[in-house]
């Protein structure tokens, strides 16, 4: 977003519209209007001093939680099928070049 503010400063554009944070650096570049909507943004961090033993299994479970087991199966199956097809097609091209020589057009 600072690049958009810099474009206003340099006269490349007349205005920039977006969810800008008014910072000191940006205020030095150009002026801002009164915000139409205020967006409340917060940073969530673990409570200091709350050190618990974190295992690899716990961390893996946190990563896998967004999707069900069935959906993870579908994602992994798609990745494997795409990998196998790419290997199959590249092997067919190399085999054809061996069989017919370098007469095939290279892209």
């Amino acid at each position: 977003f600072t690049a958009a503010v810099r474009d206003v400063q340099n006269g490349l554009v007349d205005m920039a519209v977006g969810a800008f944070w008014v910072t000191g650096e940006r205020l030095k570049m150009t002026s801002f209007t009164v915000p139409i909507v205020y967006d409340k943004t917060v940073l969530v961090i673990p409570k200091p001093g709350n050190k618990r033993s974190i295992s690899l299994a716990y961390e893996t479970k946190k990563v896998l939680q967004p999707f069900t087991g069935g959906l993870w199966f579908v994602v992994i199956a798609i990745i494997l099928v795409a990998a196998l097809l790419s290997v199959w097609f590249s092997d067919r091209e190399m085999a054809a070049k061996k069989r017919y020589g370098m007469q095939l057009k290279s892209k």
Side-chain angles (χ1 to χ4, degrees), residues 44-95:
V44 179
I45 60 171
K47 189 182 267 188
N50 190 5
K51 303 279 183 185
R52 67 177 186 201
S53 173
I54 298 176
S55 67
L56 180 61
Y58 174 75
E59 290 295 324
T60 304
K61 182 180 173 190
K62 281 185 4 183
V63 170
L64 298 176
Q65 274 182 336
F67 302 133
T68 64
L71 186 56
W72 278 116
F73 175 77
V74 170
V75 168
I76 291 170
I78 288 172
I79 291 170
L80 289 176
V81 168
L84 291 173
L85 286 174
S86 69
V87 169
W88 185 63
F89 281 120
S90 66
D91 283 348
R92 287 181 53 136
E93 183 179 342
M94 287 190 299

Side-chain angles (χ1 to χ4, degrees), residues 15-35:
M15 70 176 162
V17 179
F20 292 94
W21 285 0
V22 181
T23 63
E25 177 188 2
R26 293 176 183 162
L27 275 173
K28 290 177 186 175
M29 293 181 197
T30 190
S31 59
F32 287 82
T33 63
V34 177

